[in-house]
Amino acid sequence: MTTAIQKHQARMQRVRDYIDEHLHDNLNLDLLCSVAAYSKYHFHRQFTATFGLSVHRYILLARMKRASYRLAYRGTQSITDIAMDAGYDAPDAFARSFRQRFGQSPSAFRKSPDWEPWHFAFTPLDDARNKLMQKTFTTADVTIRDVPPTPVAMLEHRGHPATLGATIQRFIAWRRAFNLHPKTSPTFNVWRSERRPESPADYSVDLCVGVPPLFEVSGGEMKASQIPGGRCAVLRVVGNTDNLEHAALYLYRDWLPASGEEAGDFPLYCQRLSLFPEVPEHEAIAELFLPLK
């Protein structure tokens, strides 16, 4: 029975990954049934039973999430192009659908996103994507590395997690102004609080980009800092890298006590190796670093 369930889940995951990779294509029912290797008479119910969303709603939300990321973080792409990539024949239809979900027009969202309704709107999609993506880690997934120190430019986020998107926008705008592209300049997040502190206002994370050794950091909120060198336990996460809490819990709760190691004096941090929407969400990669003594 377990093998049968695993085969079913693998087929469902295959079709979900296919959707994520082909959001710009015509994702008709016959095609998706072929990818899943299921009859079209049962595929809809099987998809909904697995993910808690109909395939139509999953595709719609996935396209909208990619579109909203491009609006907020990719200012060079036109709204018309974003609308077409999201499967709309005209910008007006895209604008109506976008406003219905987020309470803002695409142009208003691009200028000043209201992130709270955005997070609420995508809760069903995030829940659906997490259903088959919760990886069980083992000690074989953790390596210990000697990490060289990395000079960085840092933007601090202090406050409610719902406002993090605005901080990310400012961070991206600054690094773009200094031509520090993610492909050539590494991206780090340093967590200085729990993911869900007792008071959301206490949420604290640093957004960092690697810079050359003699680089002079300038530009208001940005500060010069450093990711320290030393021994680190490293855990690679592929897929849902928006929420790395499961991976962090494994390092602290399971790996660290059994390893005989002790945590160092620098917070847990991650390096973003590939980012959505440059890659489909299931191909995003992050490495989690736990500094050791």
Side-chain angles (χ1 to χ4, degrees):
M1 181 63 71
T2 300
T3 302
I5 292 173
Q6 289 173 339
K7 287 181 178 179
H8 167 75
Q9 290 181 340
R11 290 158 82 178
M12 288 289 101
Q13 185 163 323
R14 184 170 68 237
V15 74
R16 187 207 57 203
D17 290 350
Y18 184 90
I19 291 170
D20 289 345
E21 289 176 354
H22 296 84
L23 291 175
H24 54 283
D25 292 340
N26 177 21
L27 296 169
N28 62 66
L29 179 61
D30 288 340
L31 173 62
L32 296 180
C33 290
S34 175
V35 172
Y38 277 129
S39 162
K40 65 181 179 180
Y41 300 108
H42 305 290
F43 172 70
H44 272 301
R45 288 187 176 88
Q46 287 169 313
F47 190 96
T48 303
T50 301
F51 295 112
L53 287 175
S54 70
V55 65
H56 173 75
R57 192 175 179 213
Y58 181 93
I59 292 170
L60 182 64
L61 286 173
R63 284 172 169 167
M64 274 294 186
K65 185 173 184 180
R66 186 181 64 170
S68 60
Y69 266 68
R70 288 175 170 174
L71 286 168
Y73 304 134
R74 303 294 179 268
T76 57
Q77 190 170 15
S78 73
I79 292 177
T80 297
D81 287 344
I82 291 172
M84 298 302 178
D85 284 346
Y88 290 84
D89 294 330
D92 289 349
F94 172 68
R96 285 193 299 271
S97 182
F98 196 92
R99 186 187 291 275
Q100 282 180 339
R101 281 168 176 78
F102 310 117
Q104 289 182 288
S105 68
S107 57
F109 183 86
R110 165 166 275 178
K111 184 177 180 181
S112 182
D114 185 353
W115 290 106
E116 192 165 346
W118 184 92
H119 282 287
F120 180 78
F122 286 115
T123 297
L125 179 66
D126 293 340
D127 289 346
R129 301 202 81 257
N130 283 332
K131 288 186 185 297
L132 298 183
M133 292 183 72
Q134 194 77 297
K135 177 177 170 58
T136 300
F137 298 107
T138 69
T139 55
D141 296 315
V142 182
T143 59
I144 295 179
R145 294 186 204 163
D146 285 315
V147 178
T150 304
V152 296
M154 175 185 71
L155 178 59
E156 299 174 335
H157 175 85
R158 305 291 184 264
H160 200 293
T163 64
L164 178 60
T167 307
I168 293 173
Q169 279 189 301
R170 299 196 303 275
F171 175 73
I172 290 174
W174 185 89
R175 71 183 296 171
R176 184 179 292 134
F178 287 88
N179 198 31
L180 299 170
H181 194 277
K183 289 184 178 179
T184 55
S185 302
T187 302
F188 300 94
N189 299 146
V190 181
W191 289 285
R192 298 188 180 274
S193 75
E194 298 295 321
R195 177 177 171 84
R196 295 184 181 89
E198 186 172 343
S199 170
D202 293 334
Y203 180 68
S204 178
V205 61
D206 298 337
L207 309 180
C208 304
V209 55
V211 296
L214 300 180
F215 186 90
E216 184 175 345
V217 178
S218 60
E221 301 174 282
M222 300 297 296
K223 300 177 181 179
S225 187
Q226 180 174 265
I227 305 294
R231 296 172 67 248
C232 289
V234 185
L235 177 59
R236 175 172 286 213
V237 181
V238 180
N240 183 14
T241 59
D242 282 347
N243 183 356
L244 294 170
E245 186 172 18
H246 177 62
L249 282 173
Y250 173 76
L251 282 175
Y252 281 115
R253 182 188 59 206
D254 302 315
W255 183 85
L256 187 61
S259 70
E261 298 281 353
E262 290 188 54
D265 295 328
F266 191 75
L268 185 76
Y269 67 95
C270 84
Q271 181 177 355
R272 305 283 182 177
L273 299 179
S274 60
L275 295 160
F276 174 78
E278 277 75 20
V279 299
E281 281 196 90
H282 72 277
E283 294 180 4
I285 301 173
E287 287 189 331
L288 206 58
F289 289 76
L290 176 61
L292 304 172
K293 288 186 177 180

